[in-house]
Amino acid sequence: MLAEIQKTQLEDLLIKLSTNLSITRTQHEAAVQSYKAVGKFLSSESSPLAEYEPYVKPQGSFIIGTTIQSIEEDGDIDLDVVCEFKRKKNTWTQYHLKNAVGDHLKAHGIYRNLLDEEGRRCWTLKYREEGLTNQRYHMDILPAIVASGYSIILESAFSNLANENYQELKISITDKEKNNYYVSPFPEEWLQSNPYGYAKWFMKKALLVGNQFKNLYSLNESVKPTPDYQEERLPLQRVVQLLKRHRDIYFSKEQNDDIRKQKPISCIITTLAARAYRGESNLLDAMWGVISRMSDEIEFKY
């Protein structure tokens, strides 16, 4: 009896911890309004990019419900978005597409001041909202080319969990470290990424709690231009949040540089956790199960 009480108390504690790690409704709404404003600017009638129909929508932890607060008092919340283009000039390479986005952002007075140095694949806007909200977050904007009818393909894929053809959701992205960055105008030869195929794979794992799919979280909702704020979270989502916080604490500023360089990216943690999850409905059981099985999902090559 005592063991059961202690287990329940520990379960409640883990839930409270993960709830405190989640971004607030205010932060969520600020992020949504920010990327919608960027999308509106890039696609406006006066934009030189308008004819290519750019469309900005979130990817990564924001759509799978695993975003967490920064561990640093002055740290940033991460917001990853894709700037999808339905077409481009036939002669444009990755270089041309990426810089077309960057140049137009620089033409906007506010975005020019928010713009960070060019990244390998993205342009980053660093938001610093002082005052009552005191919100700090950065938006990584990834330029990409999508297949014809991609929005229909995406909606169909997210409405059918049984469909595991994740490859149909891949997109062509810019990467300035690729050898063909300046030369290839053919998107099929560019680096291929699959943020929405990955999101569907993760959410299918998360939604299978026990022996049934939970209706708590709608896959289609996650890729809407304005996804609803998620009050409740599934056990796997909470596990990932807790593991990401553990990572942040372990590799904090107090550690030496050699240790901090080994800090795993969130995608690795999220992938290993999803692969190790077995549908436990109790957060404590899910946490223990994932931790005990994660190492089995790592392949060592020498």
Side-chain angles (χ1 to χ4, degrees), residues 4 8 19 83 103 116 138 168 172 174 181 186 204 216 239 271 276 283 286 299:
E4 286 298 318
T8 300
T19 300
C83 181
D103 290 345
D116 200 3
H138 64 261
E168 66 179 352
S172 302
T174 61
Y181 180 69
F186 306 112
K204 184 172 181 178
L216 170 66
V239 167
T271 302
L283 180 55
E299 181 180 350

Side-chain angles (χ1 to χ4, degrees), residues 118-131:
E118 180 185 357
R120 174 181 172 180
R121 298 171 181 169
C122 304
W123 293 101
T124 300
L125 296 175
K126 303 182 75 172
Y127 291 80
R128 301 291 181 268
E129 298 182 10
E130 305 298 338

Side-chain angles (χ1 to χ4, degrees), residues 19-297:
T19 300
N20 289 334
L21 288 176
S22 301
I23 62 173
T24 65
R25 181 181 294 276
T26 299
Q27 290 171 320
H28 173 91
E29 291 174 352
V32 169
Q33 292 306 311
S34 293
Y35 74 69
K36 285 180 68 177
V38 170
K40 184 177 180 179
F41 173 66
L42 293 174
S43 62
S44 66
E45 291 183 3
S46 60
S47 168
L49 303 173
E51 62 180 300
Y52 312 118
E53 299 184 61
Y55 184 79
V56 173
K57 65 171 177 274
Q59 62 156 321
S61 61
F62 195 80
I63 65 170
I64 63 173
T66 60
T67 302
I68 61 171
Q69 303 281 354
S70 172
I71 191 174
E72 307 294 344
E73 186 175 345
D74 59 349
D76 285 9
I77 295 171
D78 296 335
L79 172 60
D80 297 321
V81 303
V82 177
C83 181
E84 300 174 352
F85 288 85
K86 294 182 179 179
R87 65 187 71 85
K88 65 175 182 64
K89 286 186 179 179
N90 290 335
T91 57
W92 274 10
T93 64
Q94 298 171 62
Y95 167 81
H96 294 108
L97 180 68
K98 187 159 183 258
N99 280 278
V101 174
D103 290 345
H104 194 47
L105 289 172
K106 293 172 187 175
H108 187 289
I110 294 177
Y111 295 147
R112 180 173 62 249
N113 293 329
L114 297 180
L115 201 59
D116 200 3
E117 293 182 6
E118 180 185 357
R120 174 181 172 180
R121 298 171 181 169
C122 304
W123 293 101
T124 300
L125 296 175
K126 303 182 75 172
Y127 291 80
R128 301 291 181 268
E129 298 182 10
E130 305 298 338
L132 293 176
T133 57
N134 194 29
Q135 296 185 75
R136 299 172 62 92
Y137 57 98
H138 64 261
M139 183 192 307
D140 290 332
I141 305 168
L142 176 66
I145 298 290
V146 299
S148 176
Y150 187 79
S151 60
I152 297 174
I153 295 172
L154 184 62
E155 183 177 353
S156 174
F158 271 57
S159 63
N160 181 10
L161 279 175
N163 179 6
E164 296 188 350
N165 183 14
Y166 303 116
Q167 281 299 101
E168 66 179 352
L169 300 178
K170 66 182 180 180
I171 59 178
S172 302
I173 67 172
T174 61
D175 186 331
K176 67 179 185 178
E177 293 188 9
K178 291 299 178 182
N179 293 332
N180 63 357
Y181 180 69
Y182 296 98
V183 296
S184 174
F186 306 112
E188 61 270 19
E189 295 179 354
W190 301 2
L191 182 65
Q192 303 296 297
S193 184
N194 201 340
Y196 301 111
Y198 180 86
K200 179 180 178 181
W201 170 81
F202 175 86
M203 289 309 303
K204 184 172 181 178
K205 294 277 189 179
L207 285 162
L208 187 58
V209 179
N211 294 316
Q212 60 182 348
F213 283 106
K214 291 290 185 179
N215 294 321
L216 170 66
Y217 193 92
S218 167
L219 285 180
N220 270 325
E221 170 61 37
S222 67
V223 291
K224 285 183 178 179
T226 312
D228 289 340
Y229 177 69
Q230 191 178 350
E231 293 281 1
E232 299 296 329
R233 278 172 171 74
L234 298 157
L236 179 57
Q237 291 173 314
R238 293 188 184 278
V239 167
V240 170
Q241 289 181 309
L242 291 165
L243 290 175
K244 286 164 70 173
R245 174 56 87 236
H246 175 268
R247 181 266 323 264
D248 292 342
I249 294 172
Y250 185 84
F251 294 95
S252 64
K253 290 181 179 179
E254 284 68 35
Q255 297 283 13
N256 62 54
D257 289 342
D258 288 338
I259 291 179
R260 290 178 65 191
K261 288 177 182 177
Q262 300 172 34
K263 181 178 178 178
I265 62 174
S266 294
C267 187
I268 291 176
I269 294 172
T270 305
T271 302
L272 288 174
R275 289 177 63 92
Y277 180 61
R278 297 294 183 270
E280 294 92 344
S281 57
N282 177 284
L283 180 55
L284 182 60
D285 292 339
M287 191 75 182
W288 177 254
V290 166
I291 291 173
S292 64
R293 290 187 292 264
M294 281 179 76
S295 60
D296 296 335
E297 301 299 334

